């Protein structure tokens, strides 16, 4: 009997400050300004989630056989009443995924789970958008910065 070992798929890597600065600058110049003008207020530039929230989501993903996370860009409805400051602003939603073999090849499919309300996508959202909820540099709409001199990739 022959055993086929499957290699882990990696689709990301650590990047440096220049890379991050370029992405943020490009986004601000090419999309954010127009988004802010269109919605009539400063749109969010980032969304923060606590480490604990991320660990809980990743544990749930693992419990359901997930092997990845897809980040969807989204926007709250203009009349979003659960958190009125978020109304109309952009966000990201994390969706658990699992690789599936299809006729088209391997695809990373969104995971649906059974809940007491029926089938539902396994997803996580409602982090802390900046703006409006920035802790530092509010006028720039940038999150606070922490430098860990001992940190390594």
């Amino acid at each position: 009997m022959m055993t086929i070992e499957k290699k882990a798929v990696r689709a990301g890597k650590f990047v440096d400050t220049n890379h991050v600065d370029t992405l943020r600058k490009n986004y601000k110049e090419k999309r954010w300004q127009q988004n802010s003008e269109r919605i009539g207020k400063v749109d969010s530039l980032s969304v923060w989630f606590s480490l604990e929230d991320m660990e809980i989501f990743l544990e749930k993903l693992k419990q359901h056989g997930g092997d990845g996370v897809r980040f969807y860009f989204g926007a709250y409805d203009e009349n979003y009443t659960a958190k009125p400051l978020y109304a109309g602003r952009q966000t990201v939603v994390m969706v658990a995924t699992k690789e599936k073999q299809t006729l088209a090849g391997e695809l990373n499919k969104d995971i649906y789970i059974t809940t007491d309300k029926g089938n539902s996508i396994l997803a996580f959202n409602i982090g802390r958008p900046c703006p409006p909820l920035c802790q530092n540099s509010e006028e720039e709409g940038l999150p606070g910065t922490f430098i860990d001199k001992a940190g390594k990739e």
Side-chain angles (χ1 to χ4, degrees), residues 13-56:
K13 67 178 191 173
F14 286 96
V15 296
D16 63 16
T17 303
N18 186 53
H19 182 87
V20 173
D21 289 347
T22 299
L23 292 176
R24 285 162 53 178
K25 177 181 171 281
N26 287 344
Y27 182 78
K28 232 177 155 179
E29 290 174 359
K30 296 179 171 117
R31 297 211 172 67
W32 175 78
Q33 184 175 343
Q34 294 85 349
N35 288 351
S36 295
E37 289 169 4
R38 188 179 49 73
I39 67 172
K41 59 186 167 188
V42 178
D43 203 355
S44 9
L45 285 165
S46 65
V47 180
W48 180 87
F49 295 94
S50 73
L51 177 59
E52 182 180 1
D53 285 343
M54 296 293 295
E55 288 171 338
I56 290 168

Side-chain angles (χ1 to χ4, degrees), residues 3-4 14 16 34 50-51 55 62 64-65 85 89 105 114:
T3 303
I4 300 174
F14 286 96
D16 63 16
Q34 294 85 349
S50 73
L51 177 59
E55 288 171 338
K62 290 176 187 177
H64 291 279
L85 279 176
R89 288 191 164 94
T114 302

Side-chain angles (χ1 to χ4, degrees), residues 79-112:
N79 58 357
Y80 187 68
T81 56
K83 295 205 175 244
L85 279 176
Y86 294 20
R89 288 191 164 94
Q90 62 191 351
T91 187
V92 292
V93 59
M94 295 176 274
V95 175
T97 64
K98 183 175 183 177
E99 190 175 273
K100 296 278 185 180
Q101 188 71 320
T102 69
L103 294 175
E106 294 176 353
L107 298 175
N108 299 98
K109 303 284 275 181
D110 297 347
I111 294 176
Y112 283 78

